[in-house]
Amino acid sequence: MHHDHPDQPFIDRDIVDAATHPDFRAWLARMRHIGGCANPVHLIGRTITVEPRTGRLLDVLDSDHHPHGRLTISCGNSRASRCEPCARLHQGDTYQLVVSGLAGGKSVPTSVREHPRVFVTFTAPSFGSVHRHTTDRPCRPRRDAPICPHGRPLSCTLHHATDAAENGTPLCPDCYDYESAVLFNAHTRDLWQRLHRNLYEHLASVRGISRTKMRKTIRISYAKVAEYQRRGAVHFHAIMRFDGPTGPTDAPPAWATTILLTDTIRTATRRVAFHVPGTAVTLKFGKQLDVRPIHPSPTGDELTERAVASYIAKYVTKPDLSGITVDRPVEHASMIPALRLTEHSRKLLWTCWLLASRPQHQDLKLRRWSHQLGYRGHTATKSRAYSTTYTALRDARADHQQGENARRTADKDVLRYKNWIYSHTGHTEGQAIFADGVAEDLRVSREAARTAHDIGAVENSRARR
């Protein structure tokens, strides 16, 4: 028998062992329950639920009653490169979180659709000229064809394809400000906090009242996602919305219009700046700022609620850009030369390690975040009052999955005694193949359901005509 992989005989044996284990059917059902997670967590222990008044036992969740004597739960990793099934689930949660803040639902009233809201793209500043893809002109045309101090041309007359390796790389690596590029990624949180403060300062100035009074009059809610550009700089896509002082359930004042929101964002972004302690570096957002109104229903090529929610949800599971970032921390400098990165990105990563050794930057923990080129934030974040929360969505899904038992105890005053310990993580080689099959079956079923839904929508539309 021919085996392509040197360990194939052991893998084949592991497949047989998994399939013939007495717990296989129960294990397979559990895999379907957690969506075919690629790297599940296994726990040992129990949860006992009792009625405190009477001491009556209501429920027992015990790992002894689960396949292989372990409770298997999904890893919950939101990165598609680490666990595609869990990332897809996280993407769906993000869509629900974002769209509920635009169209209502999940405890948000539908009246939120009447609130002024815009879709904004905040870019990073320039740290040096880089190659880029353009459709109507060469990469970097310069009539005088200047030469940099290092003897390299600061122009490029080529037309780079969309996926060209040159895109995002500096015309002159020695001119590129790598330190400022890393510090910008590391301090985007500080820039965002100052931007949010500046929004209220501008509104207070326009209305002629104090900032404290303005915050009691109106609230600016947001949801945003971080995305890497090919040059390794982070930029943000954000939904920003005017609310009344208590949030989406409260209408904003009549003077709070979409035009005012747009002007406020533009003015506050121009003014925001952050001086990096211990350096001469002052950071700002880039000059390119795109602000577009969001409309409740399609009107030509304008943005709609669901289009924006889909756009943001798409990026939340793919924070890593091939050749630019990696999907896990870099534990030791010896790993850096072997990473599959462009030389430009590798230099940004080395810069993280270099800056981490300087006392003024030690609080940034840049070595820990070097795999993200210094960016220390989450891929997706939101203000407290924007909409529902990931926790609420997960709890609702867990209650639905637990079914009748969860509904029986949800309204009771109960006590739960939990005693769980970690066993291990992951699958055996044989289990991983079956888990992949479960994930693929679920994906095909979702695609079929989506296709059927689209066909039904088209047929209903034709019937109405």
Side-chain angles (χ1 to χ4, degrees), residues 372-388:
Q372 296 188 166
L373 307 183
Y375 179 62
R376 301 178 295 145
H378 294 288
T379 303
T381 54
K382 71 176 189 66
S383 59
R384 183 174 301 172
Y386 173 79
S387 66
T388 185

Side-chain angles (χ1 to χ4, degrees), residues 427-445:
H427 295 295
T428 66
E429 293 282 358
Q431 289 175 339
I433 291 173
F434 288 111
D436 286 346
V438 168
E440 179 63 16
D441 287 346
L442 293 172
R443 186 192 67 78
V444 171
S445 296

